[in-house]
Amino acid sequence: MSGGLHSLATIIKRLEAATSRIEDIAAAKGLPSAEFNEASTGSAPSAPRAPPQPSVASRPTEVPRSVTAYDENVIEGKLKPFIALTAELGSATTTEIVAKFEKLYKTQRLFLHRAALCRKPDQQTVDSFLQQVQPDIQDVQNFKESSRKERDFFNHLNVVSEGAISVAWLATPKPGPHINEVKDTVNYHGNRIIKEFKEKNPKHVEWVRAFTAVLEELRKYVVEFHTTGVTWNTQGIAVEAYSASSTSAGAPPPAPGPPPPPPPPPAAIPSATASGGGAAAVFAEINRGEDVTKGLRKVDKSEMTHKNPELRKQGGVPERSPSTSSLNKKPVRPSKPAALAGKKPAKLALEGSKWAIEYQENEKSLILDEVQINHSVNIFGCKGSTIIVKGKVNAVTIVNSPKTQVLVESVVSSISVTNSPSFVLQVTGKAPMIQIDSTDSGQVYISKDSLDVEITTAKCSALNISIPVEGEEDGVFEEQPVPEMLKTVIQNGKLVTTTVEHMG
């Protein structure tokens, strides 16, 4: 009796193993397991098969957490209060450009929603999605350029126009620092508004702070969910299956279409059907030996995840394209944020008592010789240019201007340099204060009249100050580096910081 039970148990195990192998064969040939079972056993279905239900991917029941956080924190928490505050300013042009900015952030949400539901496609497809964002950025900037006659609110337009470039983080692997740079640019124009309306109408000051709060909230969101660039769903659906109807939270599923056509007849399985079905078919498959696996496709090395780390990041093997030429193409290089932002028109103009020098590239001789003592000079977004300020002005500000050389005769208050790597500044007259912030690599030449200058630096490196040599003729300087290494100790419960001197 025990021998019979042992034999029966052995047969059952072999039966289960054979059934599993046959199901694998059926899956490889595209035959659903249920249909295969019906075909192999010869039994007819008891009731007609119901039409297939829409896939879960085409109508998700809930919005992904990353998109919900964007809606709650960025849109509802900061952007909508800012829009409401804009309406209180009473400026039609400002209201219109803010409406365009709101549309841009909705387009950004669509991109994020797609990324939260889909696997990352090839770079060319990602670039095509980024191109859908660019027209909205350009729309905001074109509106600002067409509204230059709006003198009272032109700084407001500048704030929103510069803030629109924040969306370009979608195309950069360092989104957090990119948004910080945009905030610095926005603050440049926002400080003008604060200075102008601080006493007249504090509502404008609140408006500027509300807009910078939108950018700051976007930065926090990006740092939490997209630290090194847009994060795609490695277990998501293909982008081809993504439906625009999925973008709204809790949206009802689309109305069902007509019933699908009847499925094709099941593929014939030679050994199982020829044997008459049942247990005989199972043992016939077992007796085939190695022939069982002949119908399986050999996996190419390019599709093996253990040989391709990139496939592990994507969460699956991409579908094979029917065109072999497309597989041999080199990957497309990711778009840079500058490509989304577009090139800005150069500007050199006197606005009230402020000289605006913006977006000048490789201009080697820009001379301001009609300045007055109450004028201020604002240099922004220039690159590789040489700017000469003849005469005495109130202040000079240099922001986001790499490889820019500035020669100043005299200033009343200060010279400020922010985020302008590889700059060169020369003072030929008097300058009481020079402030340098967030700048790597720079050269400052001091005149004999400015030896009592006060130089303040923060988050800087590779800065050199050239001081005129006493007793030598004009033009002879001694270069000295600005200390970068600091030592902090605790004395009597307080922090005392001194520079570290290297003796050698």
Side-chain angles (χ1 to χ4, degrees):
M1 181 68 179
S2 60
L5 291 176
H6 177 72
S7 176
L8 179 61
T10 303
I11 293 174
I12 292 174
K13 288 182 180 179
R14 295 182 64 189
L15 179 62
E16 290 176 348
T19 304
S20 176
R21 294 173 66 184
I22 294 172
E23 288 179 348
D24 291 341
I25 297 173
K29 294 184 177 181
L31 181 64
S33 59
E35 294 183 4
F36 172 76
N37 292 336
E38 293 171 5
S40 61
T41 57
S43 60
S46 59
R49 186 178 287 103
Q53 296 295 324
S55 64
V56 177
S58 64
R59 49 181 182 91
T61 56
E62 62 181 37
V63 180
R65 175 71 186 97
S66 60
V67 181
T68 303
Y70 178 82
D71 291 339
E72 294 176 354
N73 301 333
V74 180
I75 301 298
E76 298 292 337
K78 299 298 179 182
L79 182 58
K80 287 194 174 181
F82 168 73
I83 295 173
L85 194 58
T86 302
E88 299 178 12
L89 298 183
S91 169
T93 54
T94 306
T95 302
E96 186 170 352
I97 196 172
V98 169
K100 296 179 182 296
F101 183 85
E102 180 185 16
K103 179 186 175 186
L104 172 62
Y105 266 49
K106 289 181 178 179
T107 305
Q108 178 177 233
R109 183 197 186 276
L110 177 62
F111 190 101
L112 296 175
H113 189 271
R114 180 188 287 112
L117 291 180
C118 302
R119 298 189 300 272
K120 185 177 182 179
D122 58 88
Q123 190 59 47
Q124 186 175 1
T125 304
V126 174
D127 290 343
S128 67
F129 294 151
L130 292 174
Q131 292 301 320
Q132 297 173 10
V133 181
Q134 184 174 2
D136 289 338
I137 298 177
Q138 201 64 43
D139 191 23
V140 175
Q141 295 174 343
N142 290 341
F143 182 81
K144 182 208 70 171
E145 294 299 330
S146 64
S147 305
R148 287 189 170 273
K149 295 182 180 179
E150 185 66 44
R151 289 294 181 183
D152 294 337
F153 288 90
F154 189 67
N155 282 329
H156 297 69
L157 303 183
N158 273 325
V159 165
V160 180
S161 176
E162 296 297 340
I165 306 176
S166 62
V167 180
W169 74 267
L170 295 170
T172 176
K174 297 181 179 179
H178 169 75
I179 297 176
N180 271 334
E181 291 180 3
V182 174
K183 282 180 58 183
D184 291 340
T185 307
V186 168
N187 287 334
Y188 170 75
H189 297 285
N191 289 338
R192 293 180 174 184
I193 300 174
I194 293 174
K195 184 176 180 181
E196 182 179 355
F197 291 94
K198 187 175 183 180
E199 303 296 335
K200 295 190 298 184
N201 189 350
K203 185 69 70 176
H204 293 259
V205 178
E206 185 179 351
W207 183 87
V208 172
R209 291 171 179 167
F211 186 77
T212 55
V214 174
L215 300 181
E216 176 61 20
E217 195 62 41
L218 177 63
R219 187 194 68 79
K220 292 179 180 178
Y221 165 79
V222 164
V223 168
E224 181 177 357
F225 292 98
H226 306 278
T227 309
T228 56
V230 176
T231 302
W232 294 78
N233 187 350
T234 57
Q235 304 299 326
I237 62 176
V239 292
E240 294 81 4
Y242 177 80
S243 172
S245 62
S246 305
T247 57
S248 58
I269 302 177
S271 298
T273 56
S275 303
V282 173
F283 287 106
E285 286 292 335
I286 296 174
N287 294 331
R288 289 178 63 192
E290 295 182 356
D291 290 342
V292 174
T293 60
K294 278 188 176 180
L296 301 180
R297 181 175 65 86
K298 184 177 180 181
V299 179
D300 189 75
K301 289 184 178 181
S302 64
E303 299 175 323
M304 297 180 182
T305 55
H306 68 283
K307 294 183 178 292
N308 295 275
E310 292 298 326
L311 293 180
R312 292 197 295 272
K313 296 179 182 178
Q314 296 176 6
V317 179
E319 296 181 1
R320 179 185 289 269
S321 172
S323 173
T324 57
S325 61
S326 62
L327 296 176
N328 298 326
K329 291 183 179 179
K330 294 182 178 179
V332 181
R333 300 182 69 180
S335 300
K336 297 181 180 179
L340 289 176
K343 188 176 180 180
K344 302 292 186 63
K347 179 180 179 181
L348 174 59
L350 177 62
E351 300 175 348
S353 61
K354 301 175 182 178
W355 284 95
I357 305 175
E358 300 177 357
Y359 306 112
Q360 302 285 345
E361 291 192 13
N362 302 319
E363 293 290 341
K364 300 303 181 183
S365 183
L366 290 176
I367 301 176
L368 300 183
D369 53 3
E370 297 181 359
V371 299
Q372 299 178 11
I373 195 171
N374 65 328
H375 287 177
S376 61
V377 179
N378 297 321
I379 302 171
F380 177 79
C382 298
K383 182 178 181 181
S385 299
T386 301
I387 302 168
I388 301 174
V389 182
K390 294 185 176 181
K392 192 173 187 178
V393 296
N394 181 34
V396 176
T397 302
I398 307 170
V399 180
N400 290 350
S401 298
K403 298 181 180 180
T404 298
Q405 304 179 41
V406 181
L407 187 146
V408 181
E409 286 192 10
S410 297
V411 296
V412 176
S413 58
S414 66
I415 301 173
S416 175
V417 182
T418 303
N419 196 25
S420 300
S422 302
F423 76 97
V424 178
L425 171 65
Q426 182 172 2
V427 180
T428 59
K430 180 72 173 177
M433 180 181 295
I434 298 176
Q435 300 173 333
I436 308 174
D437 186 15
S438 302
T439 299
D440 296 327
S441 179
Q443 188 79 32
V444 179
Y445 293 87
I446 302 298
S447 67
K448 293 181 179 180
D449 295 334
S450 297
L451 292 178
D452 58 346
V453 65
E454 180 180 315
I455 302 175
T456 304
T457 62
K459 295 190 292 185
C460 297
S461 63
L463 295 182
N464 295 304
I465 311 298
S466 295
I467 304 172
V469 179
E470 186 177 357
E472 296 287 345
E473 60 183 9
D474 291 343
V476 178
F477 294 90
E478 178 186 358
E479 185 179 272
Q480 299 185 22
V482 175
E484 299 178 24
M485 186 177 295
L486 305 176
K487 179 178 69 175
T488 301
V489 297
I490 302 175
Q491 295 181 359
N492 299 326
K494 296 183 179 180
L495 298 180
V496 178
T497 302
T498 57
T499 59
V500 176
E501 297 182 359
H502 296 278
M503 306 298 293

